Amino acid sequence: MRNEFDAWSTLFTAMVLQAMPFLVLGVVLSALVGVLVPTRVWDWVLRRRPVVAVPAAAACGALVPGCECTTVPLAGRLTDRGVSFAAAMSFALASPALNPIVLLATAAAFAGSPEMVLARFVASFLAVLVVGAYLTASGMQPPYRSGHAHVEGGGVLRRLSGSAQHDLAHTAGLVVLGAAIAASLRVLLPDGVLPSLADDLPVAVATMAVLAVVMALCSESDAFVAATFVLFPSTAVLTFMVVGPLVDIRLLLMYRSAFGTRAAAAIGSFAMIGAVTSSLVVGSLLL
Amino acid sequence: MTDLHEHDHAHDHAHDDGGSRAAFVRRSLTGALLTAIGGSMMVVALTGDSSFYVREFMDLPLIVTGGLVVLLGVAAIAGVVVPAHAPRSLVLVGVAAIVILVVRPGPLSVDAGLRYDVVSGERVQASFEIPPESLVGVDADPAEIRARAVELHAAQIHFAVDQLPDQFQEVAIRMVGQFDVDEDGDASLVRFRIMCCAADAVRLTTPLGLDRVAEGPTTFERGTWVELWGQWDGDVEDPLIEVSAIREITAPERPYLTLGDL
C-alpha cells in the first residue's frame, strides 16, 4: 500500500506541477481577453458567420500552441465576450490537439512513420469539426459559469488581477481533482491487462480511447507514450492520440465547471464519437 | 461545484462586504489557498525537487507563475483585489500544497505501478557511435572496464546492439539506474524516461547477469539506485549486460532520462 501511495503522490504532484503554469497562462490570457479586447472585435472576427467560424477557429487553434489547461478558461472568456460557443470550443479543442509542437513531438516519437503525423492531424481536425458542427447545429450557447469577476471598477491592472484571480480560483481545484483521479487510476491499473486487449481492433480502439481519458496526458507528450503501445494496431494508437487532447478526466471536470453538466456531456460525448470515428476512418486510409 | 459561500449579490462587491467578518474569512481563505499553491510551485522549483516530477525547463515557468499566484493570493488576503466568491473545489489546492511541501514524494521507483515496459518496442530511433576509448575487447578485465567505460542507458544499448552487433560486445559500459528483481529472481536495471513529467514516464529495462561480479553484494532491495560496469553478452534478441562490478549510490540529481538522452 505504501508503494502505491508513493507512486500516486509522485504522479499526482507531477500532473499538478505540469499543469499549473499552463493554467496560470490561460487565466492571464483569459483576463487579457476579458478586460482589454473590446467585444466588437470578437463580433467582427467570429460572430457574424457561425458556419465559417468553426473551421476558422479550428484552423486558428492549430496555429497556436496551447495546453488543454490554458484553452478551457480562454474559451470560457471568449464565450463570455459573445463569441459563439461552437467557435470558442473549436479553438479550444484544436489548439492542444493540432498545434505544431504536438505534430513535431508526434514526428519525433514515430520517427520514420510520417504517415502517423498526417493521420493524427487529419483525424484530430475532423474530430474538432464534428464537435464544432454539433455545437453549431444545436445552437448551444451556455454561459461561462465562472461568470464575471466583478472587478469592473478600478484600474486596468486591478481588473486584470481580479479576473485572473477569479478564473484561477474556479479552475485550479479542478485541475488538482483531475490529477488525483488520473493518478489513482494509473496506480490501480491491473497488471498484464493491456496486452490481452490488443488483438481485436474494436477492443483495442476502445481500450486506447478509455486509456487516453484515464491517463490525462499533455498533448505534447502523449505521442511518446503512444509509441510504446507496440502490441496495439496503429489505428488504436492513433485513437489514443486523437482522443486524449479532446476529452480526458481533467478536461471533463473543467468543461463542467466552465459550461455546466449538459455542455460538458455534449462536448465529451461528441468529442469521443468524433475522435474514435475519425481515427478509424483515417487509420484505415493512411496507416 | 457549489460555492464556498452562496453566491449573493451582497457578496459580489468588494466594497459592500469588505467589512464583514464572513467576507474577511472568505477572502483570507481564498488568498491563503492561492498563496499556498503558488508558494509550493516556487519552493519545489527553487529546491530542485522539481526534477522528481517535471523537466528542468519547467523551473522558470514554475517560479514565475507560482510568484504570480502568490501575488494574487496576497492581494486577496490584503483586500487589494477581493475575490467575489470561490468554489469548494479550491480547497483541493490546499491538499496539493500539502502533498508537495509535506509529503514531498520522491522520483518514481520500480515499484511505481507503471505496468508497461518499452525497450523491446522502442520506436524512437537514434544512431549510435562507439567512443573509441571504450573498446576494451570481449571479456575484458573488470578494472579496465571500470576505467574506460562509457555511460549508456537501455535505449542506447538497444540501438547499439541493433546497429553495431559486431563491435558492441567489445565496449565497456557504465550504467546508472534502479535495481529490480522479478519473481523468478532475474535482475534488471530500470530507468524511467519522461517527456513532460513523471505522468508520461516509460520504463526502460536492462536485464543483468551478475555471475561475473567479483566482489561486493550482487543483490539489492528493489528500487535501490546502483551504478554498475559490464559488457553486452552478445545476444541480439534479448540483450543482457554481464556485470563485472556493481555498487549502491544515492539517487542522481536528474533521476529521469529525457528525449535528449537518446
Side-chain angles (χ1 to χ4, degrees):
Chain A
M1 197 63 191
R2 177 177 168 74
N3 293 338
E4 278 80 4
F5 178 74
D6 288 345
W8 179 89
S9 55
T10 300
L11 292 170
F12 168 76
T13 303
M15 290 186 203
V16 170
L17 291 177
Q18 183 67 29
M20 282 302 293
F22 292 100
L23 182 64
V24 174
L25 176 64
V27 300
V28 168
L29 288 174
S30 165
L32 290 170
V33 167
V35 174
L36 296 183
V37 181
T39 306
R40 64 178 180 278
V41 171
W42 302 110
D43 282 345
W44 183 77
V45 172
L46 291 169
R47 211 177 179 185
R48 287 183 177 176
R49 297 180 181 178
V51 176
V52 179
V54 166
C60 288
L63 298 174
V64 181
C67 174
E68 295 91 328
C69 298
T70 305
T71 54
V72 175
L74 185 57
R77 194 56 68 193
L78 287 172
T79 57
D80 197 41
R81 303 300 286 178
V83 174
S84 81
F85 183 55
M89 280 313 302
S90 298
F91 174 84
L93 294 171
S95 179
L98 293 164
N99 75 64
I101 294 174
V102 168
L103 298 178
L104 284 172
T106 308
F110 291 88
S113 303
E115 67 277 9
M116 184 60 92
V117 184
L118 180 63
R120 178 174 193 170
F121 180 84
V122 175
S124 297
F125 195 77
L126 289 175
V128 171
L129 291 186
V130 166
V131 180
Y134 168 74
L135 295 177
T136 301
S138 70
M140 191 179 282
Q141 190 68 27
Y144 183 35
R145 280 164 51 111
S146 294
H148 298 288
H150 304 288
V151 283
E152 300 298 334
V156 169
L157 186 60
R158 190 170 172 208
R159 283 157 56 206
L160 282 172
S161 303
S163 178
Q165 182 194 66
H166 178 269
D167 285 356
L168 190 62
H170 278 78
T171 49
L174 297 171
V175 168
V176 172
L177 180 61
I181 295 171
S184 302
L185 293 170
R186 290 281 299 279
V187 170
L188 296 173
L189 201 67
D191 254 337
V193 167
L194 285 183
S196 65
L197 300 171
D199 294 336
D200 185 53
L201 181 63
V203 175
V205 166
T207 302
M208 285 290 104
V210 171
L211 206 60
V213 174
V214 166
M215 291 182 79
L217 296 175
C218 292
S219 57
E220 283 84 0
S221 66
D222 62 4
F224 293 93
V225 174
T228 67
F229 296 125
V230 291
L231 296 175
F232 282 78
S234 296
T235 298
V237 174
L238 174 66
T239 305
F240 179 83
M241 294 189 291
V242 176
V243 169
L246 305 183
V247 52
D248 65 37
I249 286 171
R250 186 181 47 187
L251 281 170
L252 285 171
L253 289 168
M254 293 180 78
Y255 294 151
R256 181 179 177 277
S257 170
F259 305 113
T261 303
R262 185 168 165 263
I267 297 167
S269 50
F270 275 85
M272 179 61 82
I273 292 167
V276 171
T277 307
S278 64
S279 297
L280 283 169
V281 172
V282 174
S284 67
L285 293 173
L286 294 179
L287 300 177
Chain B
M1 204 54 78
T2 314
D3 290 344
L4 269 176
H5 297 263
E6 287 300 319
H7 192 81
D8 180 332
H9 287 295
H11 287 170
D12 284 352
H13 300 280
H15 298 296
D16 292 346
D17 61 3
S20 75
R21 184 170 181 78
F24 174 77
V25 170
R26 183 179 70 241
R27 79 170 195 241
S28 298
L29 182 58
T30 302
L33 289 168
L34 291 177
T35 304
I37 192 67
S40 305
M41 293 160 66
M42 297 178 73
V43 166
V44 83
L46 291 169
T47 58
D49 283 0
S50 54
S51 67
F52 297 166
Y53 320 115
V54 294
R55 295 279 300 276
E56 60 279 6
F57 59 71
M58 287 300 292
D59 281 352
L60 185 59
L62 280 169
I63 292 168
V64 171
T65 57
L68 196 57
V69 176
V70 167
L71 284 176
L72 292 175
V74 171
I77 294 169
V80 177
V81 179
V82 181
H85 65 288
R88 286 186 196 279
S89 61
L90 184 62
V91 174
L92 291 172
V93 305
V95 176
I98 289 170
V99 172
I100 294 168
L101 293 178
V102 179
V103 178
R104 290 187 68 191
L108 289 175
S109 91
V110 290
D111 287 319
L114 299 176
R115 315 293 187 188
Y116 44 85
D117 193 316
V118 296
V119 167
S120 61
E122 182 62 66
R123 281 177 169 159
V124 177
Q125 298 296 314
S127 60
F128 183 80
E129 291 180 15
I130 294 174
E133 66 274 16
S134 67
L135 285 168
V136 293
V138 179
D139 297 331
D141 177 71
E144 191 176 11
I145 292 174
R146 191 160 172 161
R148 295 173 62 178
V150 57
E151 182 169 350
L152 299 175
H153 56 71
Q156 289 169 316
I157 288 171
H158 203 67
F159 303 145
V161 167
D162 187 50
Q163 295 167 18
L164 303 162
D166 298 332
Q167 300 172 58
F168 190 60
Q169 209 173 352
E170 299 179 27
V171 175
I173 299 166
R174 173 178 174 269
M175 300 186 78
V176 171
Q178 297 176 63
F179 188 84
D180 195 15
V181 59
D182 65 17
E183 292 167 351
D184 299 326
D186 294 329
S188 61
L189 192 77
V190 173
R191 195 85 186 257
F192 290 95
R193 188 197 70 199
I194 67 170
M195 294 312 303
C196 286
C197 68
D200 62 44
V202 292
R203 186 161 44 195
L204 305 176
T205 304
T206 308
L208 302 177
L210 297 165
D211 294 340
R212 293 187 193 171
V213 178
E215 57 185 53
T218 56
T219 190
F220 303 86
E221 250 187 77
R222 296 182 67 228
T224 303
W225 281 92
V226 296
E227 174 183 36
L228 63 83
W229 294 265
Q231 289 183 285
W232 172 44
D233 71 341
D235 186 338
V236 176
E237 293 300 316
D238 193 12
L240 174 146
I241 299 301
E242 289 289 1
V243 180
S244 58
I246 184 169
R247 68 181 179 114
E248 183 175 344
I249 59 170
T250 56
E253 280 186 17
R254 205 167 63 95
Y256 305 120
L257 300 171
T258 66
L259 191 62
D261 295 308
L262 299 181

